[in-house]
Short mmCIF file of all heavy atoms in Angstrom, two decimals:
data_model
loop_
_atom_site.label_atom_id
_atom_site.label_comp_id
_atom_site.label_asym_id
_atom_site.label_seq_id
_atom_site.Cartn_x
_atom_site.Cartn_y
_atom_site.Cartn_z
N GLN U 246 13.77 15.07 17.39
CA GLN U 246 15.12 14.51 17.49
C GLN U 246 16.16 15.61 17.67
O GLN U 246 15.82 16.77 17.92
CB GLN U 246 15.43 13.66 16.25
CG GLN U 246 14.61 12.39 16.17
CD GLN U 246 15.02 11.37 17.22
OE1 GLN U 246 14.97 11.65 18.42
NE2 GLN U 246 15.43 10.19 16.79
N CYS U 614 21.68 1.32 15.84
CA CYS U 614 20.61 2.31 16.00
C CYS U 614 21.10 3.63 15.40
O CYS U 614 22.26 3.76 15.03
CB CYS U 614 20.27 2.45 17.47
SG CYS U 614 21.48 3.44 18.35
N PRO U 615 20.25 4.64 15.29
CA PRO U 615 20.70 5.92 14.70
C PRO U 615 21.79 6.62 15.53
O PRO U 615 22.64 7.32 14.96
CB PRO U 615 19.43 6.78 14.69
CG PRO U 615 18.30 5.82 14.78
CD PRO U 615 18.80 4.64 15.55
N GLY U 616 21.77 6.41 16.84
CA GLY U 616 22.82 6.99 17.68
C GLY U 616 22.93 8.50 17.55
O GLY U 616 21.98 9.19 17.18
N MET U 617 24.12 8.98 17.85
CA MET U 617 24.36 10.42 17.94
C MET U 617 24.11 11.16 16.62
O MET U 617 23.96 12.38 16.62
CB MET U 617 25.81 10.62 18.39
CG MET U 617 26.13 12.00 18.91
SD MET U 617 25.21 12.33 20.42
CE MET U 617 26.53 12.27 21.60
N CYS U 620 19.69 10.70 17.00
CA CYS U 620 18.83 10.48 18.15
C CYS U 620 19.12 11.44 19.30
O CYS U 620 20.27 11.63 19.70
CB CYS U 620 18.99 9.05 18.64
SG CYS U 620 17.92 8.70 20.02
N ALA U 621 18.05 12.02 19.84
CA ALA U 621 18.19 13.01 20.92
C ALA U 621 18.65 12.37 22.22
O ALA U 621 19.16 13.06 23.10
CB ALA U 621 16.86 13.73 21.13
N LEU U 622 18.49 11.07 22.35
CA LEU U 622 18.85 10.42 23.61
C LEU U 622 20.25 9.83 23.59
O LEU U 622 20.75 9.35 24.60
CB LEU U 622 17.84 9.30 23.91
CG LEU U 622 16.38 9.75 23.98
CD1 LEU U 622 15.45 8.55 23.99
CD2 LEU U 622 16.14 10.61 25.21
N ALA U 623 20.88 9.84 22.44
CA ALA U 623 22.15 9.13 22.27
C ALA U 623 23.25 9.68 23.18
O ALA U 623 23.30 10.86 23.48
CB ALA U 623 22.61 9.22 20.82
N THR U 624 24.12 8.74 23.61
CA THR U 624 25.30 9.15 24.36
C THR U 624 26.57 8.95 23.52
O THR U 624 27.66 9.31 23.94
CB THR U 624 25.41 8.36 25.67
OG1 THR U 624 25.09 6.99 25.42
CG2 THR U 624 24.44 8.90 26.71
N ALA U 625 26.43 8.32 22.36
CA ALA U 625 27.59 8.09 21.49
C ALA U 625 27.10 7.82 20.07
O ALA U 625 25.92 7.57 19.85
CB ALA U 625 28.41 6.91 22.00
N SER U 627 26.67 5.54 16.76
CA SER U 627 26.66 4.11 16.46
C SER U 627 26.83 3.82 14.98
O SER U 627 27.49 2.84 14.63
CB SER U 627 25.42 3.41 17.02
OG SER U 627 24.29 4.19 16.91
N ILE U 654 24.91 -2.74 17.86
CA ILE U 654 25.49 -1.53 18.45
C ILE U 654 24.40 -0.52 18.82
O ILE U 654 23.70 0.00 17.96
CB ILE U 654 26.46 -0.87 17.46
CG1 ILE U 654 27.48 -1.92 16.98
CG2 ILE U 654 27.16 0.32 18.09
CD1 ILE U 654 28.35 -1.44 15.85
N SER U 655 24.28 -0.21 20.10
CA SER U 655 23.33 0.80 20.57
C SER U 655 24.07 2.07 20.97
O SER U 655 25.14 1.99 21.56
CB SER U 655 22.56 0.30 21.79
OG SER U 655 21.87 -0.89 21.53
N GLY U 656 23.44 3.21 20.69
CA GLY U 656 24.06 4.49 21.01
C GLY U 656 23.73 5.02 22.40
O GLY U 656 24.14 6.12 22.77
N CYS U 657 22.97 4.25 23.16
CA CYS U 657 22.75 4.59 24.56
C CYS U 657 22.09 3.40 25.25
O CYS U 657 21.75 2.41 24.61
CB CYS U 657 21.90 5.86 24.73
SG CYS U 657 20.12 5.60 24.61
N ILE U 658 21.90 3.55 26.55
CA ILE U 658 21.40 2.46 27.39
C ILE U 658 20.00 1.98 27.00
O ILE U 658 19.58 0.90 27.38
CB ILE U 658 21.46 2.92 28.87
CG1 ILE U 658 21.21 1.77 29.84
CG2 ILE U 658 20.51 4.07 29.14
CD1 ILE U 658 22.33 0.78 29.87
N ASN U 659 19.27 2.75 26.20
CA ASN U 659 17.95 2.30 25.79
C ASN U 659 17.98 1.04 24.93
O ASN U 659 16.96 0.39 24.75
CB ASN U 659 17.20 3.40 25.06
CG ASN U 659 16.73 4.46 26.03
OD1 ASN U 659 16.40 4.15 27.17
ND2 ASN U 659 16.71 5.70 25.59
N ALA U 660 19.14 0.75 24.36
CA ALA U 660 19.35 -0.56 23.73
C ALA U 660 18.45 -0.85 22.53
O ALA U 660 18.03 -1.98 22.33
CB ALA U 660 19.20 -1.67 24.77
N CYS U 661 18.17 0.17 21.73
CA CYS U 661 17.32 -0.06 20.56
C CYS U 661 17.93 -1.06 19.59
O CYS U 661 17.21 -1.68 18.81
CB CYS U 661 17.04 1.25 19.83
SG CYS U 661 16.14 2.41 20.85
N ALA U 662 19.23 -1.22 19.62
CA ALA U 662 19.87 -2.19 18.72
C ALA U 662 20.02 -3.56 19.37
O ALA U 662 20.69 -4.44 18.82
CB ALA U 662 21.22 -1.66 18.26
N HIS U 664 21.65 -4.70 21.99
CA HIS U 664 23.04 -5.16 22.20
C HIS U 664 23.16 -6.20 23.31
O HIS U 664 24.09 -6.99 23.31
CB HIS U 664 23.96 -3.97 22.49
CG HIS U 664 23.66 -3.27 23.77
ND1 HIS U 664 22.77 -2.21 23.86
CD2 HIS U 664 24.10 -3.50 25.03
CE1 HIS U 664 22.70 -1.83 25.13
NE2 HIS U 664 23.49 -2.58 25.85
N LEU U 672 27.76 -1.08 23.45
CA LEU U 672 26.94 0.01 23.98
C LEU U 672 27.79 1.27 24.06
O LEU U 672 28.82 1.29 24.73
CB LEU U 672 26.44 -0.37 25.38
CG LEU U 672 25.89 0.77 26.24
CD1 LEU U 672 24.68 1.42 25.58
CD2 LEU U 672 25.51 0.25 27.63
S1 LIG R 944 19.66 3.11 21.65
FE1 LIG R 944 19.64 5.19 22.41
S2 LIG R 944 20.75 6.31 20.83
FE2 LIG R 944 20.13 4.42 19.91
S3 LIG R 944 18.18 4.91 18.94
FE3 LIG R 944 17.75 4.04 20.95
S4 LIG R 944 17.49 5.82 22.23
FE4 LIG R 944 18.57 6.53 20.40
#
Side-chain angles (χ1 to χ4, degrees):
Chain U
Q246 292 290 58
C614 77
M617 197 64 109
C620 182
L622 303 168
T624 42
S627 38
I654 307 171
S655 302
C657 83
I658 190 70
N659 286 328
C661 297
H664 66 269
L672 164 62

